[in-house]
Amino acid sequence: MEKMSKRRIKLVIHYDGTAYHGWQAQCDVDTVQSQIETAIEKLCGCEAKLIGSSRTDAGVHAMGQVAHVDVDTPVPTKNIIRSLNRYLPNDIVVAGAEDVDEIFDAIRSTTSKLYRYTIYTGKIRPVRKIRYCWHRPGKLNIPKMQQAAAKMLGKKNFKSFASAADQRESSVRTILKCDVIENKPFIHIDVEADGFLYNMVRNIVGTLVDIGRGRWQPESIDEILAAKDRAAAGPIAPASGLCLMEIDY
Amino acid sequence: MEKMSKRRIKLVIHYDGTAYHGWQAQCDVDTVQSQIETAIEKLCGCEAKLIGSSRTDAGVHAMGQVAHVDVDTPVPTKNIIRSLNRYLPNDIVVAGAEDVDEIFDAIRSTTSKLYRYTIYTGKIRPVRKIRYCWHRPGKLNIPKMQQAAAKMLGKKNFKSFASAADQRESSVRTILKCDVIENKPFIHIDVEADGFLYNMVRNIVGTLVDIGRGRWQPESIDEILAAKDRAAAGPIAPASGLCLMEIDY
């Protein structure tokens, strides 16, 4: 029997990250990647190695994660979606699948990514939203947060907003959008960039919240960026509020 | 030392019921009632017996459950809320508390209850809503469901919509509201009544959905009610879509 030529499939994936130790497969813990790889292996009867664009952390969600996988199956793409979703748990879904050229690489072909962070400012704990927000009761000065957010835009060295664990050579990234949107009792912070350092969005959000509560003035962002030191910025915001919304290619 | 006179406190409670075996305390399983009783006991240092207005089932949510409890503590009501919420898990919250007369009884003083059922009709599993809806892809005929819902209104014998486990003497209840509201891709079904039989809302929803998908005409509601037989109505809708919204006194 002739060996089938490999097919590369691009997947768009949504998940509620609460129950998982993040995206990336690790020994002995449950991750989103390993759940999907197991589903693909059941479907195709072969080993599957999924390459995800963003290694989201434990508790972080996605409504637009992208991954690619090479499979060895004649099953039509439409049926692949349906079958994978039957194998997957309720908190993970394959929202789209398409055959792509082998040139496509979920990590390297990325041009930009958009994250949304959600803060809930109401007093009473929002039990049906708590998995998807940072519950932080109390007032925040939105115009000051917006002024500070505007200072993040452009090509800059974001080392002060990267957790120490970040091993990448360059800390220079270009932030295309950093919007603070009030939608009472919610605040959304949308950050789009050509790439992100480890924990970058959560560190930006923690710093913007410190500005919103009056710890610093918006101008302090300039000094924080210039310091190139994680200790100069604010605390990290909780994982639950973060959602990967979109990846562009 | 003089014994303090008992205080009766009325609590308004919100919860995500996904993780619990319903409201009512039972041996060996985790319930919302037992979680709150444990929190009260920690706070007051005395045994607490919580009387909840609605014994919601496993997986059913509440944004307006009401309960009363007699406590023996001088702690001000405001502080009781704050302390209880510190002891409670993230998916349960005491949203309000007030001192009430001993005449108040969370069960007997009820005049009406409002439930909301949520259906999600989109094709892709909504991973961040799945705990709070019935994911039922595909079209439903909303006007026909609305015609059928209107036939539920008034004082009637709802035995056909009560699960067999219902042991109450009378199956007569008065439905004050039965609205089918389309908010694409969601459908909400709001049902308000002076009281509900066991699984009554979920059995009504299952029947309305059968009408929406064309199994029956709206007029069939008359025959179903007349049959006074659970087997005459449609299947029970999943617990996850149901939320107790409000209880009036």
Side-chain angles (χ1 to χ4, degrees):
Chain A
M1 208 175 106
E2 204 188 350
K3 200 183 172 319
M4 268 195 60
S5 66
K6 282 272 186 183
R7 272 167 78 189
R8 177 158 293 186
I9 295 180
K10 173 189 172 190
L11 301 173
V12 178
I13 300 153
H14 301 179
Y15 49 87
D16 172 341
T18 312
Y20 301 99
H21 283 76
W23 166 266
Q24 196 162 30
Q26 299 165 58
C27 294
D28 301 328
V29 297
D30 203 7
T31 70
V32 180
Q33 184 187 348
S34 56
Q35 284 281 350
I36 302 172
E37 285 179 348
T38 304
I40 295 171
E41 286 166 8
K42 275 187 197 157
L43 179 67
C44 302
C46 61
E47 210 189 345
K49 176 76 188 141
L50 195 63
I51 310 292
S53 182
S54 291
R55 282 162 302 181
T56 57
D57 263 341
V60 172
H61 316 290
M63 294 299 283
Q65 171 72 289
V66 173
H68 77 255
V69 63
D70 293 325
V71 290
D72 206 1
T73 170
V75 177
T77 316
K78 227 182 191 174
N79 299 4
I80 287 180
I81 299 186
R82 201 160 41 203
S83 304
L84 284 181
N85 287 336
R86 226 173 279 146
Y87 290 130
L88 286 169
N90 253 347
D91 49 10
I92 302 177
V93 74
V94 173
E98 57 174 317
D99 284 83
V100 286
D101 195 276
E102 268 185 47
I103 257 181
F104 177 85
D105 182 293
I107 298 177
R108 288 191 212 106
S109 312
T110 302
T111 55
S112 71
K113 293 178 186 176
L114 172 66
Y115 280 92
R116 164 162 281 196
Y117 196 95
T118 300
I119 300 167
Y120 182 82
T121 61
K123 202 172 165 192
I124 304 298
R125 184 159 63 227
V127 291
R128 305 205 320 164
K129 310 268 188 197
I130 196 77
R131 297 158 74 94
Y132 314 113
C133 69
W134 173 14
H135 181 212
R136 195 200 169 283
K139 273 197 183 162
L140 291 172
N141 186 320
I142 304 290
K144 291 214 167 173
M145 291 171 74
Q146 287 167 333
Q147 283 167 47
K151 288 183 166 290
M152 298 284 184
L153 296 174
K155 188 174 179 178
K156 289 174 184 176
N157 188 324
F158 289 98
K159 195 167 170 52
S160 294
F161 294 100
S163 289
D166 200 295
Q167 300 294 328
R168 276 164 276 204
E169 253 180 55
S170 165
S171 305
V172 175
R173 297 291 184 277
T174 301
I175 292 190
L176 305 159
K177 179 195 271 188
C178 189
D179 291 346
V180 178
I181 304 146
E182 191 169 23
N183 180 16
K184 283 182 185 174
F186 294 96
I187 298 170
H188 299 297
I189 300 176
D190 289 349
V191 189
E192 188 178 4
D194 61 350
F196 288 92
L197 305 169
Y198 189 51
N199 285 337
M200 183 167 148
V201 181
R202 290 166 61 193
N203 290 333
I204 288 175
V205 169
T207 304
L208 292 178
V209 165
D210 264 4
I211 289 168
R213 71 184 179 87
R215 180 183 173 197
W216 292 318
Q217 289 303 309
E219 293 68 35
S220 59
I221 294 293
D222 299 325
E223 295 157 42
I224 293 168
L225 285 166
K228 298 186 183 65
D229 176 6
R230 174 70 190 90
I236 188 168
S240 56
L242 189 59
C243 187
L244 170 60
M245 300 303 286
E246 208 180 305
I247 301 178
D248 280 338
Y249 290 95
Chain B
M1 207 174 104
E2 203 188 352
K3 200 183 171 318
M4 269 193 60
S5 66
K6 282 273 187 183
R7 274 166 78 188
R8 178 158 293 187
I9 295 179
K10 173 189 172 189
L11 301 173
V12 178
I13 300 153
H14 302 179
Y15 49 87
D16 172 340
T18 312
Y20 301 99
H21 284 76
W23 166 266
Q24 196 162 33
Q26 300 166 56
C27 293
D28 301 328
V29 297
D30 202 7
T31 70
V32 181
Q33 184 186 348
S34 56
Q35 284 281 351
I36 301 172
E37 285 180 347
T38 304
I40 296 172
E41 286 166 9
K42 275 186 197 160
L43 179 65
C44 303
C46 61
E47 210 189 343
K49 177 77 188 140
L50 195 64
I51 310 292
S53 181
S54 290
R55 283 163 302 183
T56 57
D57 263 339
V60 172
H61 316 290
M63 294 300 284
Q65 170 73 289
V66 173
H68 78 254
V69 63
D70 294 326
V71 289
D72 205 1
T73 170
V75 177
T77 316
K78 227 182 189 173
N79 301 3
I80 288 181
I81 299 186
R82 205 163 36 207
S83 304
L84 284 182
N85 287 336
R86 227 173 279 145
Y87 290 130
L88 286 169
N90 253 347
D91 48 10
I92 302 178
V93 75
V94 173
E98 57 174 317
D99 284 82
V100 287
D101 195 276
E102 269 186 46
I103 256 180
F104 176 86
D105 183 294
I107 297 176
R108 288 192 212 105
S109 312
T110 303
T111 54
S112 70
K113 293 178 187 176
L114 171 66
Y115 280 92
R116 165 164 280 197
Y117 197 94
T118 300
I119 299 168
Y120 182 83
T121 61
K123 201 172 166 193
I124 304 297
R125 184 158 66 225
V127 290
R128 307 206 317 165
K129 310 268 187 198
I130 195 78
R131 296 159 75 94
Y132 314 114
C133 69
W134 173 14
H135 182 211
R136 195 200 170 284
K139 275 198 182 161
L140 290 172
N141 186 322
I142 304 291
K144 291 213 166 172
M145 290 172 73
Q146 287 165 334
Q147 285 169 47
K151 289 182 167 289
M152 298 285 183
L153 295 175
K155 188 174 180 179
K156 290 174 183 177
N157 188 324
F158 289 98
K159 196 167 169 51
S160 294
F161 294 99
S163 287
D166 200 296
Q167 300 294 331
R168 278 164 275 206
E169 254 180 54
S170 165
S171 307
V172 175
R173 297 290 184 277
T174 302
I175 291 190
L176 306 160
K177 181 195 270 190
C178 191
D179 291 345
V180 178
I181 304 147
E182 189 169 24
N183 180 16
K184 285 183 183 172
F186 295 96
I187 298 170
H188 299 297
I189 300 176
D190 289 349
V191 190
E192 188 178 4
D194 61 351
F196 288 92
L197 304 170
Y198 189 52
N199 285 336
M200 183 167 149
V201 181
R202 291 166 60 193
N203 290 333
I204 288 175
V205 169
T207 305
L208 292 179
V209 165
D210 265 4
I211 289 168
R213 70 184 179 87
R215 181 182 172 196
W216 292 317
Q217 288 303 308
E219 294 69 35
S220 59
I221 293 293
D222 300 325
E223 295 157 42
I224 293 169
L225 284 165
K228 298 186 183 65
D229 176 5
R230 174 70 189 91
I236 188 168
S240 56
L242 188 60
C243 186
L244 170 61
M245 300 303 285
E246 209 181 304
I247 301 177
D248 281 338
Y249 289 96

